Coordinates of all heavy atoms in Angstrom, one line a residue:
M1 N -270.3 -100.7 -113.0 CA -270.4 -100.5 -114.4 C -269.0 -100.3 -115.0 O -268.2 -99.6 -114.4 CB -271.3 -99.2 -114.7 CG -271.5 -99.0 -116.2 SD -272.5 -97.5 -116.5 CE -271.2 -96.3 -116.4
N2 N -268.8 -100.9 -116.1 CA -267.5 -100.7 -116.8 C -267.7 -99.6 -117.9 O -268.7 -99.6 -118.5 CB -267.1 -102.0 -117.5 CG -267.0 -103.2 -116.6 OD1 -266.7 -103.1 -115.4 ND2 -267.4 -104.4 -117.1
Y3 N -266.6 -98.9 -118.1 CA -266.7 -97.9 -119.1 C -265.3 -97.4 -119.5 O -264.3 -97.7 -118.7 CB -267.6 -96.7 -118.8 CG -267.2 -95.9 -117.6 CD1 -266.4 -94.7 -117.7 CD2 -267.5 -96.3 -116.3 CE1 -266.1 -94.0 -116.6 CE2 -267.1 -95.6 -115.2 CZ -266.4 -94.4 -115.4 OH -266.0 -93.7 -114.3
V4 N -265.2 -96.7 -120.6 CA -263.9 -96.2 -121.0 C -264.1 -94.7 -121.2 O -265.1 -94.2 -121.8 CB -263.5 -96.8 -122.4 CG1 -262.4 -96.1 -123.0 CG2 -263.1 -98.3 -122.1
R5 N -263.1 -93.9 -120.7 CA -263.1 -92.5 -120.9 C -262.0 -92.1 -121.9 O -260.8 -92.5 -121.8 CB -262.8 -91.8 -119.6 CG -262.8 -90.3 -119.7 CD -263.0 -89.6 -118.3 NE -264.4 -89.8 -117.9 CZ -264.7 -90.0 -116.6 NH1 -263.8 -90.0 -115.6 NH2 -266.0 -90.1 -116.3
I6 N -262.4 -91.5 -123.0 CA -261.5 -91.0 -124.0 C -261.2 -89.5 -123.7 O -262.1 -88.7 -123.6 CB -262.0 -91.1 -125.4 CG1 -262.5 -92.6 -125.7 CG2 -261.0 -90.7 -126.4 CD1 -261.5 -93.6 -125.8
A7 N -259.9 -89.2 -123.5 CA -259.5 -87.8 -123.4 C -259.4 -87.2 -124.8 O -258.5 -87.5 -125.6 CB -258.1 -87.7 -122.7
A8 N -260.5 -86.5 -125.2 CA -260.7 -86.1 -126.6 C -259.5 -85.4 -127.2 O -259.1 -85.6 -128.3 CB -261.9 -85.3 -126.7
D9 N -258.8 -84.5 -126.4 CA -257.7 -83.7 -126.9 C -256.4 -84.5 -127.0 O -255.5 -84.0 -127.6 CB -257.5 -82.5 -126.1 CG -258.6 -81.4 -126.4 OD1 -259.1 -81.5 -127.6 OD2 -259.0 -80.7 -125.5
E10 N -256.4 -85.7 -126.5 CA -255.2 -86.6 -126.6 C -255.4 -87.6 -127.8 O -254.4 -88.2 -128.2 CB -255.0 -87.4 -125.3 CG -254.9 -86.6 -124.1 CD -253.6 -85.8 -124.0 OE1 -252.6 -86.3 -124.6 OE2 -253.5 -84.8 -123.4
C11 N -256.6 -87.7 -128.3 CA -256.9 -88.7 -129.4 C -256.6 -88.1 -130.7 O -256.9 -87.0 -131.0 CB -258.4 -89.0 -129.2 SG -259.0 -90.1 -130.6
K12 N -256.0 -88.9 -131.6 CA -255.7 -88.5 -133.0 C -256.6 -89.2 -134.0 O -256.4 -89.1 -135.2 CB -254.3 -88.7 -133.3 CG -253.8 -90.1 -133.4 CD -252.3 -90.2 -133.8 CE -251.8 -91.6 -133.9 NZ -250.4 -91.7 -134.2
G13 N -257.7 -89.8 -133.5 CA -258.7 -90.4 -134.4 C -258.2 -91.5 -135.3 O -258.8 -91.7 -136.3
C14 N -257.3 -92.3 -134.8 CA -256.7 -93.3 -135.7 C -257.6 -94.6 -135.8 O -257.4 -95.4 -136.7 CB -255.3 -93.8 -135.1 SG -255.5 -94.8 -133.6
R15 N -258.6 -94.7 -134.9 CA -259.6 -95.7 -135.0 C -259.1 -97.1 -134.5 O -259.8 -98.1 -134.6 CB -260.2 -95.9 -136.4 CG -261.0 -94.7 -136.8 CD -261.5 -94.9 -138.3 NE -262.1 -93.7 -138.7 CZ -263.5 -93.5 -138.7 NH1 -264.2 -94.5 -138.3 NH2 -264.0 -92.4 -139.1
L16 N -257.9 -97.2 -134.1 CA -257.4 -98.6 -133.7 C -258.3 -99.1 -132.5 O -258.6 -100.3 -132.5 CB -255.9 -98.5 -133.2 CG -254.9 -98.4 -134.3 CD1 -253.5 -98.2 -133.8 CD2 -254.9 -99.7 -135.1
C17 N -258.6 -98.2 -131.6 CA -259.5 -98.7 -130.5 C -260.9 -99.1 -131.0 O -261.4 -100.2 -130.6 CB -259.6 -97.6 -129.4 SG -260.3 -96.1 -130.0
V18 N -261.4 -98.4 -132.0 CA -262.7 -98.7 -132.5 C -262.7 -100.0 -133.2 O -263.6 -100.9 -133.0 CB -263.2 -97.6 -133.5 CG1 -264.5 -97.9 -134.2 CG2 -263.2 -96.2 -132.8
Q19 N -261.7 -100.3 -134.0 CA -261.6 -101.5 -134.8 C -261.3 -102.7 -134.0 O -261.6 -103.8 -134.4 CB -260.5 -101.3 -135.9 CG -260.9 -100.3 -136.9 CD -259.7 -99.8 -137.8 OE1 -258.5 -100.2 -137.5 NE2 -260.0 -99.0 -138.8
N20 N -260.6 -102.5 -132.8 CA -260.2 -103.7 -132.0 C -261.1 -104.0 -130.8 O -260.9 -105.0 -130.2 CB -258.8 -103.5 -131.6 CG -257.8 -103.7 -132.7 OD1 -257.5 -104.8 -133.1 ND2 -257.3 -102.6 -133.3
C21 N -262.1 -103.2 -130.5 CA -263.0 -103.5 -129.4 C -263.8 -104.7 -129.8 O -264.5 -104.6 -130.8 CB -263.8 -102.3 -129.1 SG -265.1 -102.8 -127.8
P22 N -263.8 -105.8 -129.0 CA -264.6 -107.0 -129.4 C -266.1 -106.8 -129.2 O -266.9 -107.6 -129.7 CB -264.0 -108.1 -128.5 CG -263.4 -107.3 -127.3 CD -262.9 -106.0 -127.9
N23 N -266.4 -105.7 -128.5 CA -267.9 -105.5 -128.2 C -268.5 -104.3 -128.9 O -269.6 -103.9 -128.5 CB -268.1 -105.5 -126.7 CG -267.7 -106.8 -126.1 OD1 -268.1 -107.9 -126.5 ND2 -266.8 -106.8 -125.1
N24 N -267.7 -103.7 -129.8 CA -268.2 -102.6 -130.5 C -268.7 -101.4 -129.6 O -269.8 -100.8 -129.8 CB -269.4 -103.0 -131.5 CG -269.7 -102.0 -132.5 OD1 -268.9 -101.2 -132.9 ND2 -271.0 -101.9 -132.9
C25 N -267.9 -101.1 -128.6 CA -268.2 -100.1 -127.7 C -267.8 -98.7 -128.0 O -268.1 -97.8 -127.3 CB -267.6 -100.5 -126.3 SG -268.2 -102.0 -125.6
L26 N -266.9 -98.6 -129.0 CA -266.3 -97.3 -129.3 C -266.7 -96.9 -130.7 O -266.9 -97.7 -131.6 CB -264.8 -97.4 -129.2 CG -264.3 -97.8 -127.8 CD1 -262.9 -98.2 -127.8 CD2 -264.5 -96.6 -126.8
G27 N -266.7 -95.6 -130.9 CA -267.0 -95.0 -132.3 C -266.2 -93.8 -132.4 O -265.4 -93.3 -131.5
I28 N -266.3 -93.1 -133.6 CA -265.6 -91.8 -133.8 C -266.7 -90.8 -133.7 O -267.7 -90.8 -134.4 CB -264.9 -91.8 -135.2 CG1 -263.8 -92.8 -135.2 CG2 -264.4 -90.4 -135.5 CD1 -262.6 -92.5 -134.3
G29 N -266.4 -89.8 -132.8 CA -267.4 -88.7 -132.6 C -267.4 -87.7 -133.8 O -266.5 -87.7 -134.6
S30 N -268.3 -86.8 -133.7 CA -268.4 -85.8 -134.8 C -267.6 -84.5 -134.5 O -267.4 -83.7 -135.4 CB -269.9 -85.4 -135.0 OG -270.5 -85.0 -133.8
E31 N -267.3 -84.3 -133.2 CA -266.6 -83.1 -132.8 C -265.1 -83.2 -133.2 O -264.5 -84.2 -133.1 CB -266.7 -82.8 -131.3 CG -268.2 -82.5 -131.0 CD -268.4 -82.1 -129.5 OE1 -267.4 -81.8 -128.9 OE2 -269.5 -82.1 -129.1
I32 N -264.5 -82.0 -133.5 CA -263.1 -81.9 -133.9 C -262.4 -81.4 -132.6 O -262.7 -80.4 -132.0 CB -262.9 -80.9 -135.0 CG1 -263.8 -81.2 -136.2 CG2 -261.5 -80.8 -135.4 CD1 -263.5 -82.5 -136.9
N33 N -261.3 -82.1 -132.3 CA -260.6 -81.7 -131.1 C -259.5 -80.6 -131.4 O -259.4 -80.2 -132.6 CB -259.9 -82.9 -130.4 CG -258.7 -83.5 -131.2 OD1 -258.2 -82.9 -132.1 ND2 -258.3 -84.7 -130.7
Q34 N -258.8 -80.2 -130.4 CA -257.9 -79.0 -130.6 C -256.8 -79.3 -131.6 O -256.1 -78.4 -132.1 CB -257.4 -78.5 -129.3 CG -256.5 -79.5 -128.6 CD -256.0 -79.0 -127.2 OE1 -256.5 -78.0 -126.7 NE2 -255.0 -79.7 -126.6
M35 N -256.5 -80.6 -131.9 CA -255.5 -81.0 -132.8 C -256.1 -81.2 -134.2 O -255.3 -81.5 -135.2 CB -254.8 -82.3 -132.4 CG -254.1 -82.2 -131.0 SD -252.8 -81.0 -130.9 CE -251.5 -81.9 -131.9
G36 N -257.4 -81.0 -134.3 CA -258.0 -81.2 -135.6 C -258.5 -82.6 -136.0 O -258.8 -82.8 -137.1
Y37 N -258.5 -83.4 -135.0 CA -258.9 -84.8 -135.2 C -260.4 -85.0 -134.7 O -260.8 -84.4 -133.7 CB -258.0 -85.8 -134.5 CG -256.6 -85.8 -135.0 CD1 -255.6 -85.4 -134.1 CD2 -256.2 -86.1 -136.3 CE1 -254.2 -85.4 -134.5 CE2 -254.9 -86.1 -136.7 CZ -253.9 -85.7 -135.8 OH -252.6 -85.7 -136.3
Q38 N -261.0 -86.0 -135.3 CA -262.3 -86.4 -134.7 C -262.0 -87.6 -133.7 O -261.5 -88.6 -134.1 CB -263.2 -87.0 -135.8 CG -263.9 -85.9 -136.6 CD -264.8 -86.4 -137.7 OE1 -264.4 -86.5 -138.9 NE2 -266.0 -86.8 -137.3
A39 N -262.2 -87.3 -132.5 CA -261.8 -88.2 -131.4 C -262.8 -89.4 -131.3 O -264.0 -89.3 -131.6 CB -261.7 -87.5 -130.1
A40 N -262.3 -90.5 -130.7 CA -263.1 -91.6 -130.4 C -264.0 -91.3 -129.2 O -263.7 -90.4 -128.4 CB -262.2 -92.8 -130.0
V41 N -265.1 -92.0 -129.2 CA -266.1 -91.8 -128.1 C -266.6 -93.2 -127.6 O -266.6 -94.1 -128.4 CB -267.3 -91.0 -128.5 CG1 -266.9 -89.5 -128.8 CG2 -268.0 -91.6 -129.7
F42 N -266.9 -93.3 -126.3 CA -267.5 -94.5 -125.8 C -269.0 -94.4 -126.1 O -269.6 -93.4 -125.8 CB -267.2 -94.5 -124.3 CG -267.7 -95.8 -123.6 CD1 -267.0 -97.0 -123.9 CD2 -268.7 -95.8 -122.7 CE1 -267.4 -98.2 -123.2 CE2 -269.1 -96.9 -122.1 CZ -268.5 -98.1 -122.3
K43 N -269.5 -95.5 -126.6 CA -270.9 -95.3 -127.1 C -271.9 -96.4 -126.6 O -273.1 -96.3 -126.9 CB -270.9 -95.3 -128.6 CG -270.4 -96.7 -129.3 CD -270.6 -96.6 -130.8 CE -270.3 -98.0 -131.3 NZ -270.5 -98.1 -132.8
N44 N -271.4 -97.4 -126.0 CA -272.5 -98.4 -125.5 C -272.0 -99.1 -124.2 O -270.8 -99.1 -123.9 CB -272.9 -99.3 -126.6 CG -272.0 -100.5 -126.8 OD1 -271.5 -101.1 -125.8 ND2 -271.7 -100.8 -128.0
P45 N -272.9 -99.7 -123.5 CA -272.6 -100.2 -122.1 C -272.1 -101.7 -122.1 O -272.1 -102.3 -121.0 CB -273.9 -100.1 -121.4 CG -274.9 -100.3 -122.5 CD -274.3 -99.7 -123.8
N46 N -271.7 -102.2 -123.2 CA -271.3 -103.6 -123.2 C -269.9 -103.9 -123.0 O -269.3 -104.9 -123.2 CB -271.7 -104.3 -124.6 CG -273.2 -104.3 -124.8 OD1 -274.0 -104.4 -123.9 ND2 -273.6 -104.1 -126.1
C47 N -269.2 -102.9 -122.4 CA -267.8 -102.9 -122.2 C -267.5 -104.0 -121.1 O -268.1 -104.0 -120.0 CB -267.3 -101.6 -121.8 SG -265.5 -101.5 -121.3
T48 N -266.5 -104.8 -121.4 CA -266.1 -105.8 -120.4 C -264.8 -105.4 -119.6 O -264.3 -106.1 -118.8 CB -265.8 -107.2 -121.1 OG1 -264.8 -107.0 -122.0 CG2 -267.0 -107.7 -121.7
A49 N -264.3 -104.2 -119.9 CA -263.1 -103.7 -119.3 C -261.9 -104.5 -119.6 O -261.0 -104.7 -118.8 CB -263.3 -103.5 -117.8
C50 N -261.9 -105.1 -120.8 CA -260.8 -106.0 -121.2 C -259.5 -105.2 -121.4 O -258.4 -105.8 -121.3 CB -261.1 -106.7 -122.5 SG -261.3 -105.7 -123.9
G51 N -259.6 -104.0 -121.7 CA -258.3 -103.1 -121.8 C -257.7 -103.1 -123.2 O -256.7 -102.5 -123.4
I52 N -258.3 -103.8 -124.1 CA -257.7 -103.9 -125.5 C -257.6 -102.5 -126.1 O -256.5 -102.1 -126.7 CB -258.5 -104.8 -126.4 CG1 -258.4 -106.2 -126.0 CG2 -258.1 -104.6 -127.9 CD1 -259.3 -107.2 -126.7
C53 N -258.6 -101.6 -125.9 CA -258.5 -100.3 -126.4 C -257.4 -99.5 -125.9 O -256.7 -98.7 -126.6 CB -259.9 -99.6 -126.2 SG -260.4 -99.6 -124.5
F54 N -257.1 -99.7 -124.6 CA -255.9 -99.0 -124.0 C -254.6 -99.5 -124.6 O -253.7 -98.8 -124.9 CB -255.9 -99.3 -122.5 CG -254.7 -98.9 -121.8 CD1 -254.3 -97.5 -121.6 CD2 -253.8 -99.8 -121.4 CE1 -253.1 -97.2 -121.0 CE2 -252.6 -99.4 -120.7 CZ -252.3 -98.1 -120.6
Y55 N -254.5 -100.9 -124.8 CA -253.2 -101.4 -125.2 C -253.0 -101.1 -126.7 O -251.8 -101.0 -127.1 CB -253.2 -102.9 -125.0 CG -253.1 -103.3 -123.5 CD1 -254.1 -103.8 -122.8 CD2 -251.9 -102.9 -122.8 CE1 -254.0 -104.1 -121.5 CE2 -251.8 -103.2 -121.5 CZ -252.9 -103.8 -120.8 OH -252.8 -104.0 -119.5
V56 N -254.0 -100.9 -127.5 CA -253.7 -100.6 -128.9 C -253.6 -99.1 -129.2 O -253.1 -98.8 -130.2 CB -254.9 -101.2 -129.9 CG1 -255.0 -102.7 -129.7 CG2 -256.2 -100.5 -129.6
C57 N -254.0 -98.3 -128.3 CA -253.9 -96.9 -128.5 C -252.5 -96.4 -128.5 O -251.7 -96.6 -127.5 CB -254.7 -96.1 -127.4 SG -254.6 -94.3 -127.7
P58 N -252.1 -95.7 -129.5 CA -250.7 -95.2 -129.6 C -250.5 -93.9 -128.8 O -249.3 -93.4 -128.7 CB -250.5 -94.9 -131.1 CG -251.8 -94.6 -131.6 CD -252.8 -95.4 -130.8
E59 N -251.5 -93.3 -128.2 CA -251.4 -92.0 -127.6 C -251.5 -92.3 -126.0 O -252.6 -92.5 -125.5 CB -252.6 -91.1 -128.0 CG -252.5 -90.7 -129.5 CD -251.2 -90.0 -129.8 OE1 -250.8 -89.1 -129.0 OE2 -250.6 -90.3 -130.9
P60 N -250.4 -92.1 -125.3 CA -250.5 -92.2 -123.9 C -251.5 -91.2 -123.3 O -251.4 -90.1 -123.6 CB -249.0 -91.9 -123.4 CG -248.2 -92.1 -124.7 CD -249.1 -91.7 -125.8
G61 N -252.3 -91.7 -122.4 CA -253.2 -90.8 -121.8 C -254.6 -90.6 -122.5 O -255.4 -89.9 -121.9
A62 N -254.7 -91.2 -123.7 CA -256.0 -91.0 -124.4 C -257.1 -91.9 -123.8 O -258.3 -91.5 -123.8 CB -255.8 -91.2 -125.9
V63 N -256.7 -93.1 -123.4 CA -257.8 -94.1 -123.0 C -257.6 -94.4 -121.5 O -256.5 -94.8 -121.1 CB -257.6 -95.3 -123.9 CG1 -258.6 -96.4 -123.4 CG2 -257.8 -95.0 -125.3
T64 N -258.7 -94.3 -120.8 CA -258.7 -94.8 -119.4 C -259.9 -95.8 -119.3 O -261.0 -95.5 -119.6 CB -258.9 -93.7 -118.4 OG1 -257.9 -92.7 -118.7 CG2 -258.7 -94.2 -117.0
V65 N -259.5 -97.0 -118.7 CA -260.6 -98.0 -118.6 C -261.0 -98.2 -117.1 O -260.1 -98.2 -116.3 CB -260.0 -99.4 -119.1 CG1 -261.0 -100.5 -119.0 CG2 -259.5 -99.3 -120.6
Y66 N -262.3 -98.2 -116.9 CA -262.8 -98.4 -115.6 C -263.6 -99.7 -115.5 O -264.5 -100.0 -116.3 CB -263.7 -97.2 -115.2 CG -263.0 -95.9 -115.1 CD1 -262.8 -95.1 -116.3 CD2 -262.6 -95.4 -113.9 CE1 -262.1 -93.9 -116.2 CE2 -262.0 -94.2 -113.8 CZ -261.7 -93.5 -115.0 OH -261.1 -92.3 -114.9
K67 N -263.3 -100.5 -114.5 CA -264.0 -101.7 -114.3 C -264.7 -101.6 -113.0 O -264.1 -101.3 -111.9 CB -263.0 -102.9 -114.2 CG -263.7 -104.3 -114.0 CD -262.8 -105.4 -114.2 CE -263.5 -106.7 -114.3 NZ -262.6 -107.8 -114.6
N68 N -266.0 -101.7 -113.0 CA -266.9 -101.5 -111.8 C -266.5 -100.1 -111.2 O -266.3 -100.1 -110.0 CB -266.8 -102.6 -110.9 CG -267.3 -103.9 -111.5 OD1 -268.3 -103.9 -112.2 ND2 -266.6 -105.0 -111.2
E69 N -266.4 -99.1 -112.0 CA -266.0 -97.7 -111.6 C -264.6 -97.6 -111.2 O -264.1 -96.5 -110.9 CB -266.9 -97.3 -110.4 CG -268.4 -97.5 -110.6 CD -269.0 -96.6 -111.6 OE1 -268.5 -95.6 -111.9 OE2 -270.1 -97.0 -112.2
E70 N -263.8 -98.6 -111.1 CA -262.4 -98.5 -110.6 C -261.5 -98.4 -111.8 O -261.5 -99.3 -112.7 CB -262.1 -99.7 -109.8 CG -260.7 -99.6 -109.1 CD -260.4 -100.8 -108.2 OE1 -261.4 -101.4 -107.8 OE2 -259.2 -101.1 -108.0
R71 N -260.6 -97.5 -111.8 CA -259.6 -97.3 -112.9 C -258.7 -98.5 -112.9 O -258.1 -98.8 -111.9 CB -258.9 -96.0 -112.6 CG -257.9 -95.6 -113.7 CD -257.4 -94.2 -113.4 NE -256.3 -93.9 -114.4 CZ -255.9 -92.7 -114.6 NH1 -256.4 -91.7 -113.9 NH2 -254.9 -92.4 -115.4
I72 N -258.5 -99.1 -114.1 CA -257.6 -100.2 -114.1 C -256.3 -100.0 -115.0 O -255.5 -100.9 -115.1 CB -258.3 -101.5 -114.6 CG1 -258.8 -101.3 -116.1 CG2 -259.4 -101.9 -113.7 CD1 -259.2 -102.7 -116.7
N73 N -256.1 -98.8 -115.5 CA -254.9 -98.5 -116.2 C -254.4 -97.1 -115.9 O -255.3 -96.2 -115.6 CB -255.0 -98.7 -117.7 CG -255.9 -97.8 -118.4 OD1 -257.1 -98.0 -118.4 ND2 -255.4 -96.7 -118.9
A74 N -253.1 -96.9 -115.9 CA -252.6 -95.6 -115.6 C -252.6 -94.7 -116.8 O -252.7 -95.1 -117.9 CB -251.2 -95.7 -115.0
Ligands
SF4_101 S1 -262.2 -102.2 -122.5 FE1 -262.5 -103.8 -124.0 S2 -264.7 -103.9 -124.2 FE2 -264.3 -102.0 -123.2 S3 -264.2 -100.5 -124.8 FE3 -262.1 -101.2 -124.5 S4 -261.8 -102.8 -126.0 FE4 -264.0 -102.5 -125.8
SF4_102 S1 -256.7 -95.7 -130.5 FE1 -256.3 -93.9 -129.2 S2 -255.7 -92.3 -130.7 FE2 -256.7 -94.0 -131.8 S3 -258.8 -93.4 -132.0 FE3 -258.6 -94.7 -130.2 S4 -258.3 -93.3 -128.4 FE4 -257.9 -92.1 -130.3

């Protein structure tokens, strides 16, 4: 299974990942993180592990992509 893990406290809620996912896999959650932002959340199983969300994210460490359970970005 492919999926993306968002480190909620690293996310500033900029939505770049949400807007650029070709499969509409990401959204903005309702919870406020420790920095006062509403963090992105992974919301559906159609992820192809393309990595676009990782590449567009300005926050190092916020997005980790897993392809068939294997981590594909540092
Ligand atoms: S890896 Fe690709 S398909 Fe999966 S959530 Fe990120 S942008 Fe969307
Ligand atoms: S691109 Fe990064 S900082 Fe922006 S909402 Fe997505 S995970 Fe958060």
Side-chain angles (χ1 to χ4, degrees):
M1 186 182 79
N2 306 327
Y3 62 97
V4 166
R5 179 160 292 147
I6 307 289
D9 285 330
E10 303 290 331
C11 173
K12 64 179 183 185
C14 72
R15 296 175 182 262
L16 282 172
C17 59
V18 177
Q19 292 165 353
N20 286 285
C21 175
N23 297 308
N24 195 30
C25 296
L26 300 165
I28 294 294
S30 56
E31 293 185 14
I32 307 295
N33 71 11
Q34 64 181 11
M35 302 295 287
Y37 299 118
Q38 283 179 260
V41 293
F42 186 68
K43 65 175 189 174
N44 80 46
N46 296 327
C47 176
T48 58
C50 67
I52 291 172
C53 52
F54 169 72
Y55 290 112
V56 299
C57 179
E59 296 298 318
V63 177
T64 308
V65 180
Y66 293 84
K67 184 169 190 174
N68 297 323
E69 312 288 337
E70 184 177 340
R71 182 175 176 163
I72 63 166
N73 66 278

